[in-house]
Amino acid sequence: MSHDIRCSKPQTELFFRLFEAHHGGHLFVAAKKWDERCAYALMQKEMIIRLYNHVYADPAYWNDLGVEDRIFQLASAIAVVEPDAVFCGATAALLYGIGSAYSLLDKVQVLLPRSTRRDIYEFVEYRRWRPGDVWQLGPFTLTDPYRTVVDIARTSAFRYALGYVDGLAREYGVEREELRAYAQANCRGLHGIARAFDVFEHMDRRSDNGGESEARAAMILAGVAAPELQVEITRPGNAGYYLADYGWQMPNGSWMLAELHGLGKFEDDAQNDPEHTAAKTYRAALVRDANLRAMGHNVIHFRLSDTYDIKAFGSMMRGYGIPTTKPYADS
């Protein structure tokens, strides 16, 4: 770190402008040559960090941002600096609202022409893919939704890729055969395309969110038979129905039901007393489970963290008598 931490007046003014940008939910873009010189001086004093060409942030602000906010704000700044930039992969999927597996959101993914060389940045990943058709979404130029999902499916682990394939079906109404036809027409010969077709076989729009898709992928990887999704069990007297995330119908006609638990299951941000609301929701879930068991069904609960060890998760599910099949081989 430089011993001279004093700032000139222009540097101080730029520092406050940077915080004004942060207050508005943006990173700071040094648009003028003098801004860039001041920003570079502040960076040398370790007062700000450089995230991309002309793009700066206060380290504390950047570190406090959530995963999705980091990607959105940095992509927004890159779109200002380079209006012709094409975003792809998990970055494009996040902007489309298709999915957001945090494991794939450590960097902003940008397409880079083969003849181009760029500086290396910690939070930017350059891809040398053929973009195909592009879509304009606000200030962003993106690979089209089909190509975005195909690229993720052919380059990512099955447990993460499935959520994006499900998301395309859920959010854009795309059928499995439509996606297969697109990939056959536009992506033949691309590295990993065979594995993408394997992922397509498990596409299901009924998956409510990425977490449910990831858990289902873990089941498939563990050799658990693919479940029915959003299973409805009619209440006695036809008084509505109970809904479960996953279900397997047993030979005797009863259901083995499974619920994926996240904090959202028992929390309601709209309530003034979230702890009371969580307890009330939890009690309602216990009553629901008791009623389902009285009807001859069984219910198990698990968290996404239970799926991280595939072997242990498979053993747990088999212990409940859930049907099994050949484990999915993720190449």
Side-chain angles (χ1 to χ4, degrees), residues 71-123:
I71 296 299
F72 180 78
Q73 291 194 25
L74 183 50
S76 298
I78 293 173
V80 171
V81 173
E82 296 194 49
D84 295 331
V86 178
F87 299 94
C88 61
T91 300
L94 174 66
L95 296 171
Y96 279 129
I98 292 173
S100 59
Y102 283 6
S103 296
L104 304 184
L105 289 174
D106 56 332
K107 299 176 186 290
V108 170
Q109 294 181 330
V110 185
L111 286 182
L112 182 67
R114 293 183 181 276
S115 60
T116 305
R117 297 183 64 184
R118 295 290 174 88
D119 293 335
I120 303 301
Y121 296 98
E122 181 179 359
F123 300 103

Side-chain angles (χ1 to χ4, degrees), residues 152-162 192 194-199 202 217-218 220-223 310 326-331:
I152 293 172
R154 68 185 180 86
T155 60
S156 305
F158 175 72
R159 73 172 297 140
Y160 305 124
L162 184 60
R195 69 180 295 161
F197 280 105
D198 290 341
V199 180
H202 298 277
I220 296 168
L221 288 166
I310 294 295
K326 182 180 179 180
Y328 180 94
D330 192 15
S331 58

Side-chain angles (χ1 to χ4, degrees), residues 245-324:
D245 296 332
Y246 312 97
W248 298 263
Q249 192 158 28
M250 309 308 281
N252 65 0
S254 68
W255 283 88
M256 173 64 74
L257 305 169
E259 282 282 278
L260 173 64
H261 278 196
L263 292 177
K265 288 279 185 182
F266 302 124
E267 292 182 355
D268 185 350
D269 292 337
Q271 300 294 324
N272 293 327
D273 187 357
E275 290 186 5
H276 175 75
T277 302
K280 184 178 179 181
T281 306
Y282 183 68
R283 287 195 297 270
L286 292 177
V287 171
R288 186 200 71 158
D289 288 0
N291 290 341
L292 284 167
R293 292 188 177 104
M295 295 165 62
H297 308 297
N298 200 1
V299 187
I300 64 173
H301 298 262
F302 69 97
R303 295 182 180 275
L304 191 59
S305 57
D306 294 327
T307 73
Y308 295 162
D309 184 329
I310 294 295
K311 185 176 180 179
F313 180 60
S315 296
M316 181 187 81
M317 300 297 275
R318 286 190 291 273
Y320 287 110
I322 294 173
T324 60

Side-chain angles (χ1 to χ4, degrees), residues 56-261:
Y56 297 89
D58 170 62
Y61 174 81
W62 178 253
N63 292 333
D64 284 344
L65 287 176
V67 173
E68 294 182 358
D69 285 339
R70 278 190 175 192
I71 296 299
F72 180 78
Q73 291 194 25
L74 183 50
S76 298
I78 293 173
V80 171
V81 173
E82 296 194 49
D84 295 331
V86 178
F87 299 94
C88 61
T91 300
L94 174 66
L95 296 171
Y96 279 129
I98 292 173
S100 59
Y102 283 6
S103 296
L104 304 184
L105 289 174
D106 56 332
K107 299 176 186 290
V108 170
Q109 294 181 330
V110 185
L111 286 182
L112 182 67
R114 293 183 181 276
S115 60
T116 305
R117 297 183 64 184
R118 295 290 174 88
D119 293 335
I120 303 301
Y121 296 98
E122 181 179 359
F123 300 103
V124 178
E125 179 181 7
Y126 300 116
R127 295 284 193 170
R128 295 184 181 273
W129 296 334
R130 299 192 304 270
D133 293 335
V134 296
W135 283 26
Q136 195 70 33
L137 187 66
F140 306 108
T141 303
L142 313 170
T143 52
D144 73 76
Y146 288 82
R147 179 57 189 269
T148 296
V149 169
V150 170
D151 284 337
I152 293 172
R154 68 185 180 86
T155 60
S156 305
F158 175 72
R159 73 172 297 140
Y160 305 124
L162 184 60
Y164 291 94
V165 172
D166 288 347
L168 183 66
R170 181 179 62 250
E171 303 299 334
Y172 285 80
V174 176
E175 300 290 341
R176 180 183 303 144
E177 289 309 311
E178 289 181 73
L179 186 57
R180 288 178 59 87
Y182 172 88
Q184 288 171 343
N186 298 279
C187 306
R188 295 183 65 179
L190 293 181
H191 178 73
I193 193 62
R195 69 180 295 161
F197 280 105
D198 290 341
V199 180
F200 300 163
E201 290 304 308
H202 298 277
M203 182 180 193
D204 197 323
R205 73 175 64 218
R206 294 175 298 172
S207 183
D208 258 358
N209 53 61
E212 288 189 9
S213 294
E214 185 176 338
R216 189 170 99 259
M219 296 175 192
I220 296 168
L221 288 166
V224 175
E228 289 295 317
L229 305 182
Q230 314 308 327
V231 178
E232 298 179 359
I233 304 294
T234 303
R235 298 188 186 192
N238 292 317
Y241 58 85
Y242 294 114
L243 182 68
D245 296 332
Y246 312 97
W248 298 263
Q249 192 158 28
M250 309 308 281
N252 65 0
S254 68
W255 283 88
M256 173 64 74
L257 305 169
E259 282 282 278
L260 173 64
H261 278 196

